[in-house]
Amino acid sequence: MSFTAARFDVNLSMLFTELPLLERPAAAAAAGFEAVELWWPWPDDPTPAATALDDLRTALESAGTRLVGLNFYAGQLPGPDRGAASVPGAESERFRANIEVAADFAASVGCTALNALYGNRIDGVDPADQDALALDNLVRAAAAAHRAGATLLIEALNAAESPRYPLVDAEAAVAAVRRVNEASGIGNARFLLDLYHLAAGGADLAAVIDRHIGRVGHVQIADFPGRGARGTGALRLTDLLDAAGYEGFVGLEHKPSPDGSAAGLGWSR
């Protein structure tokens, strides 16, 4: 098996960001992609007006692009935040308010993967209390995703860039997936395999893929070092996934080329 461009999707929160949000799906389509993914597009608003959601849906449909991955509300991305599921107080309330909004939007566009970032550790809060809050919120998210016909994704980030994020290796993220599946009884939580973050954390990528490929619900890639497009670093990204027989979508979640977003995507065709 080998990869084709149809297998890849473009993360519109990292690529084509020189354009307004509603123009990015068309730019991805012009670059040859039929599938896209997004972080939550309104970092200041977990419950945007229906018109904003309608406009995004129209932009996706007009461009002929399918949304294959969407984050639940995660705070300021890019920025200091790394999700809200485990963060007590107002952020947890925003996460809960967003759950049905994000799931309903995903269902309306046929998106079948919803990513919930765990959230940073907070000074003065017992980590066990944060983990209990996260479990409660992630079970709620799993139920909403299930109603929308979607998978709930949980990912590991790297400690160098996210030192307060507790899920910094595959084992920690997969353990969280297991806890959610056991608590929900649904079984729709899966591991988001982000090869850039795992490589930045020093993981043996081939070993991680071999050990956890059966639990993977989505893949994201960027080369390492640098978080650029494939070929700008040292990782054998597509070789590793081909060898494992992975057949899902692969999100291109990397920095744009210095010559523009489209210039760094030619290899995928």
Side-chain angles (χ1 to χ4, degrees):
M1 184 189 73
S2 61
F3 281 89
T4 67
R7 293 285 313 288
F8 294 102
D9 72 83
V10 178
N11 187 300
L12 296 181
S13 298
M14 288 199 69
L15 293 164
F16 299 108
T17 56
E18 67 274 16
L19 298 172
L21 172 64
L22 299 182
E23 295 179 20
R24 296 176 204 170
F33 292 86
E34 298 176 356
V36 298
E37 62 181 60
L38 278 165
W39 301 341
W40 184 246
W42 302 278
D44 295 316
D45 191 354
T47 57
T51 53
L53 296 163
D54 291 342
D55 288 346
L56 178 56
R57 185 183 303 107
T58 297
L60 292 164
E61 293 172 351
S62 297
T65 51
R66 175 188 169 194
L67 187 68
V68 299
L70 177 67
N71 281 18
F72 287 106
Y73 171 80
Q76 295 296 318
L77 291 179
D81 299 327
R82 295 294 185 270
S86 70
V87 180
E91 281 297 273
S92 177
E93 292 174 6
R94 291 187 186 103
F95 180 85
R96 290 185 182 184
N98 174 251
I99 287 174
E100 296 297 339
V101 176
D104 287 348
F105 181 77
S108 76
V109 296
C111 176
T112 57
L114 285 159
N115 183 30
L117 287 171
Y118 201 84
N120 288 329
R121 292 302 194 204
I122 305 299
D123 289 340
V125 180
D126 187 336
D129 291 339
Q130 284 198 253
D131 290 339
L133 176 62
L135 182 59
D136 182 60
N137 281 333
L138 293 173
V139 166
R140 293 169 186 250
H146 179 66
R147 289 192 293 272
T151 296
L152 173 70
L153 301 174
I154 299 174
E155 73 172 308
L157 304 181
N158 74 82
E161 295 175 350
S162 305
R164 303 179 74 85
Y165 190 83
L167 310 182
V168 293
D169 57 36
E171 284 62 37
V174 168
V177 166
R178 288 196 187 101
R179 290 193 296 272
V180 172
N181 283 335
E182 290 170 1
S184 73
I186 300 171
N188 67 330
R190 307 281 284 175
F191 176 38
L192 195 167
L193 176 69
D194 188 312
L195 294 179
Y196 165 76
H197 282 299
L198 295 174
D204 179 334
L205 297 185
V208 169
I209 292 171
D210 182 66
R211 188 161 57 249
H212 297 301
I213 193 64
R215 301 177 180 88
V216 170
H218 187 63
V219 172
Q220 292 174 334
I221 64 172
D223 219 328
F224 179 81
R227 201 171 188 176
R230 176 182 177 272
T232 60
L235 301 183
R236 297 182 298 108
L237 296 166
T238 54
D239 292 349
L240 291 166
L241 295 169
D242 276 343
Y246 176 72
E247 296 182 348
F249 277 98
V250 178
L252 306 182
E253 194 188 46
H254 56 72
K255 295 177 181 178
S257 164
D259 298 321
S261 294
L265 298 171
W267 65 269
S268 64
R269 295 188 292 278

